[in-house]
Amino acid sequence: MASTSSTLAPQDESGIVSALNGIVTKTDVIAEAIRTGNHIDVILVRGGSDTGCLAAVNNRSAGGEPRNADCGAPTLQQMISQVGGAQPGIPQVKLPEFTSVPANSAKWARRGGWLVVAINTKYLIAGDAGEKGWICLKNAPLVSANYIPHPNPVTAPGGKTLPNAD
């Protein structure tokens, strides 16, 4: 069931990341499910703003848009745009990118908190290899979603959030 708070007890960033390590699906398990086509539900995490995370929780979709069980995974071109950035003549469209390594989500979680999701691997394509990223479409349905507020969210000067996220 989707919720806006967590049952995780830790109240500091490192404690939350440590607790997430115990529930997030390991990278090799996700890669194997995608490679073989034996799709499974996996647990992933990303950091994001309150607004973006809560939209995902409330709509039970990766990017907060109306769910579409027929959306499939992003295309190779969409993945290249997400990971590589804007290309000449092709506008960049940011897609939700989750990670299988909770520590990689901490910097983005400082914008508001963590979005922890269960999603089927049929909606995922490998993203940023260094971040152990997994990209999906904004309307990819979630099995479940949970938002964990960051205990000490930080914004840049002027109240601006980190660029190029969500």
Side-chain angles (χ1 to χ4, degrees):
M1 177 113 199
S3 69
T4 59
S5 64
S6 172
T7 57
L8 294 174
Q11 295 301 310
D12 65 354
E13 181 177 288
S14 63
I16 292 169
V17 167
S18 180
L20 288 169
N21 281 326
I23 63 171
V24 170
T25 306
K26 302 299 179 215
T27 303
D28 58 341
V29 172
I30 300 165
E32 181 70 6
I34 293 171
R35 185 187 69 74
T36 63
N38 293 323
H39 294 294
I40 58 173
D41 293 342
V42 296
I43 307 293
L44 295 170
V45 64
R46 71 181 301 223
S49 67
D50 289 346
T51 304
C53 291
L54 290 174
V57 168
N58 291 332
N59 289 312
R60 286 198 41 214
S61 71
E65 293 186 356
R67 296 164 46 106
N68 179 0
D70 296 324
C71 70
T75 64
L76 183 58
Q77 190 60 42
Q78 288 170 312
M79 182 274 293
I80 291 169
S81 177
Q82 172 74 16
V83 175
Q87 300 169 30
I90 304 172
Q92 183 181 26
V93 176
K94 294 301 290 177
L95 295 173
E97 186 165 3
F98 294 86
T99 182
S100 48
V101 178
N104 293 343
S105 67
K107 135 173 122 170
W108 304 108
R110 294 178 194 131
R111 299 173 54 228
W114 289 267
L115 176 60
V116 183
V117 302
I119 187 171
N120 194 281
T121 55
K122 71 181 176 181
Y123 299 111
L124 301 173
I125 189 171
D128 185 314
E131 295 289 324
K132 304 296 187 220
W134 302 98
I135 303 167
C136 58
L137 298 175
K138 293 178 182 179
N139 57 357
L142 302 175
V143 176
S144 65
N146 189 22
Y147 178 63
I148 304 167
H150 195 286
N152 300 302
V154 178
T155 55
K160 296 185 180 184
T161 59
L162 291 170
N164 207 21
D166 272 0

